[in-house]
Amino acid sequence: MTDSHLGAFLLQWIKSPQEMGSLVPSGGTLANAMARQVGMRENGTIIELGAGTGVITSVLLKAVSRADQLIVVENNPNLAGLLRGTFPDAQIVERDAAKLGVIAREHNVGEACDIVSGLPFLLLTRKKQYAILKQAFALIGSGGTFVQFTYGPKTPISPKVLNRLGITGRRVAFVWRNMPPAFVWRFEKRRTAAFEASHEGVLSDSPAHGAPSPSSA
Ligand SMILES: C[S@@+](CC[C@H](N)C(=O)[O-])C[C@H]1O[C@@H](n2cnc3c(N)ncnc32)[C@H](O)[C@@H]1O
């Protein structure tokens, strides 16, 4: 990150602290911890929400085979312009993350592998949290996840919103080498009875590696 990136972030925070949610961009260690939740993606799409100056974007770009697998959403025009200049090959969308469904349609994304968010969720209204999460989980396919960082120990997304959408969350990392130190959370759709029924055989009592041999006790 250059001094001009830091300056640009700080300037936007002065103009709109509620939208930015943080005084400074995330550090590289936090960006790596977020991207680690996604892993390498040879196919499929990753969507990043609230990219700021692109600290996490630059790590996510290394996780995909092609730059067009990553869609970067940032609603601040100055930061979106900065992102376009820094990552000319990436798809930078200057739009409210609450329009995620429309953004996905416009970019022909039927199913996103994962969504990585730097949005200031704690500062969003419950209604907005719900709108974003509902659209996000309509896009995340089976095995996909929603990754979010936050500075406090509690879930950054309202438990009421999570319950209503049938989503569970868990802390997966704590990054103390960040300013301020941050927790990484992973959110996933709770498995429904229908899902469990359709996967019944997979978790039955039969041995995972084939039938027991005659000598098995
Ligand atoms: C805490 S900063 C995180 C920036 C970057 N991901 C990082 O880790 O350094 C939050 C970012 O989300 C953006 N943002 C806030 N509300 C948004 C919304 N509704 N839609 C899209 N971006 C939003 C802000 O402009 C800001 O860049």
Side-chain angles (χ1 to χ4, degrees):
M1 182 184 48
T2 64
D3 283 351
S4 69
H5 282 84
L6 186 61
F9 198 101
L10 193 57
L11 184 63
Q12 298 314 311
W13 181 82
I14 291 166
K15 285 186 187 168
S16 183
Q18 190 82 6
E19 288 266 311
M20 294 304 289
S22 164
L23 187 61
V24 287
S26 299
T29 312
L30 177 56
N32 282 321
M34 295 283 283
R36 208 172 296 127
Q37 296 304 317
V38 169
M40 295 297 292
R41 291 285 183 190
E42 285 191 13
N43 297 300
T45 307
I46 298 173
I47 300 179
E48 183 188 3
L49 304 177
T53 49
V55 180
I56 299 173
T57 316
S58 65
V59 185
L60 289 176
L61 276 170
K62 292 184 195 137
V64 290
S65 307
R66 303 180 322 273
D68 66 1
Q69 282 174 262
L70 179 66
I71 296 179
V72 180
V73 181
E74 171 54 60
N75 72 341
N76 180 303
N78 294 298
L79 294 176
L82 186 146
L83 288 164
R84 272 187 218 108
T86 314
F87 308 106
D89 297 330
Q91 308 186 72
I92 312 293
V93 183
E94 184 187 322
R95 206 132 182 201
D96 187 340
K99 298 274 180 248
L100 190 52
V102 178
I103 295 167
R105 270 199 301 283
E106 284 175 357
H107 288 78
N108 297 318
V109 177
E111 196 176 88
C113 290
D114 298 283
I115 298 184
V116 177
S117 167
L119 293 173
F121 255 91
L122 281 174
L123 301 176
L124 302 181
T125 62
R126 235 186 262 157
K127 198 172 166 193
K128 190 136 184 172
Q129 290 191 1
Y130 180 82
I132 294 171
L133 262 278
K134 189 166 188 233
Q135 293 170 78
F137 277 88
L139 283 172
I140 292 173
S142 50
T145 190
F146 187 99
V147 187
Q148 173 74 44
F149 71 80
T150 187
Y151 303 125
K154 288 190 184 156
T155 165
I157 302 170
S158 152
K160 281 192 178 168
V161 171
L162 294 175
N163 275 336
R164 184 136 174 231
L165 290 167
I167 294 166
T168 54
R170 63 193 161 98
R171 277 187 305 229
V172 287
F174 174 62
V175 181
W176 63 269
R177 285 186 67 171
N178 192 66
M179 183 63 189
F183 293 91
V184 176
W185 280 71
R186 218 181 145 111
F187 295 92
E188 278 152 348
K189 196 89 183 161
R190 206 176 288 141
R191 290 177 172 187
T192 60
F195 178 93
E196 298 295 351
S198 66
H199 288 68
E200 208 173 0
V202 180
L203 294 176
S204 70
D205 286 337
S206 58
H209 301 291
S213 69
S215 60
S216 298

